[in-house]
C-alpha cells in the first residue's frame, strides 16, 4: 500500500474511533443527568495524541480552505495522566466550532502546560 493510501486508511480508522466516541457521548448525556458519569484516566503521550486528533481535524479545515497549526510548549511533559475520551470531546468541539465560525484565515491551537 502506498503512502497516500495508508494516510487515508489511518484517517478512516481515526474517524471510526471518533464516531464510536460520539455515540458514547450521546449515551453519556443521560449519565450526566443522573450523576453517573465516569472519568477514566490513563497515562498517555499528550503530544502524539493531540497530533493524531489534529490530523483528522485539519481535514475539516482544508475543506473550508482554512489553514491551521498546533503549538506545544517545550515544558510539556512527555507523558500525562488524562481521560482520553473527554480530551477528544473537548478538542474536537473546540476545533470544529473554530472552523465553523471562521470564514477565511486560520485556526491555531496553542497547548499550555500549567503545573500544579
Amino acid at each position: 500500500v502506498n503512502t497516500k493510501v495508508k494516510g487515508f486508511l489511518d484517517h478512516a480508522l481515526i474517524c471510526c474511533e471518533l464516531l464510536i466516541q460520539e455515540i458514547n457521548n450521546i449515551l453519556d448525556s443521560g449519565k450526566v443527568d443522573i450523576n453517573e458519569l465516569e472519568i477514566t484516566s490513563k497515562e498517555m503521550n499528550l503530544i502524539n495524541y493531540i497530533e493524531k486528533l489534529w490530523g483528522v481535524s485539519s481535514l475539516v479545515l482544508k475543506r473550508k480552505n482554512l489553514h491551521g497549526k498546533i503549538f506545544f510548549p517545550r515544558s510539556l511533559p512527555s507523558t500525562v495522566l488524562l481521560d482520553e475520551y473527554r480530551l477528544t470531546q473537548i478538542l474536537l468541539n473546540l476545533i470544529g466550532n473554530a472552523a465553523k465560525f471562521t470564514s477565511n484565515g486560520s485556526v491555531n491551537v496553542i497547548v499550555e502546560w500549567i503545573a500544579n
Side-chain angles (χ1 to χ4, degrees), residues 10-43:
D10 288 344
H11 284 308
L13 178 61
I14 293 168
C15 288
C16 289
E17 291 170 358
L18 295 175
L19 180 59
I20 290 169
Q21 287 186 356
E22 277 303 308
I23 292 168
N24 287 334
N25 186 21
I26 293 167
L27 297 174
D28 282 348
S29 298
K31 291 180 181 179
V32 169
D33 292 340
I34 59 174
N35 294 324
E36 291 188 3
L37 186 65
E38 293 180 27
I39 304 294
T40 307
S41 298
K42 70 178 188 177
E43 263 190 33

Side-chain angles (χ1 to χ4, degrees), residues 22-110:
E22 277 303 308
I23 292 168
N24 287 334
N25 186 21
I26 293 167
L27 297 174
D28 282 348
S29 298
K31 291 180 181 179
V32 169
D33 292 340
I34 59 174
N35 294 324
E36 291 188 3
L37 186 65
E38 293 180 27
I39 304 294
T40 307
S41 298
K42 70 178 188 177
E43 263 190 33
M44 295 185 65
N45 182 310
L46 185 59
I47 293 174
N48 288 347
Y49 189 71
I50 292 176
E51 284 177 339
K52 179 174 121 176
L53 289 176
W54 182 255
V56 172
S57 299
S58 65
L59 298 175
V60 174
L61 299 177
K62 284 179 186 174
R63 272 191 252 136
K64 288 192 68 181
N65 291 323
L66 298 172
H67 302 282
K69 289 184 182 178
I70 190 156
F71 300 94
F72 297 100
R74 295 186 194 277
S75 61
L76 191 66
S78 59
T79 315
V80 296
L81 188 63
L82 57 87
D83 186 326
E84 174 182 2
Y85 175 65
R86 305 294 168 223
L87 178 63
T88 301
Q89 286 178 311
I90 292 166
L91 283 175
L92 291 181
N93 285 333
L94 178 73
I95 296 166
N97 285 335
K100 185 189 312 183
F101 296 108
T102 303
S103 56
N104 60 23
S106 64
V107 172
N108 297 321
V109 174
I110 302 170

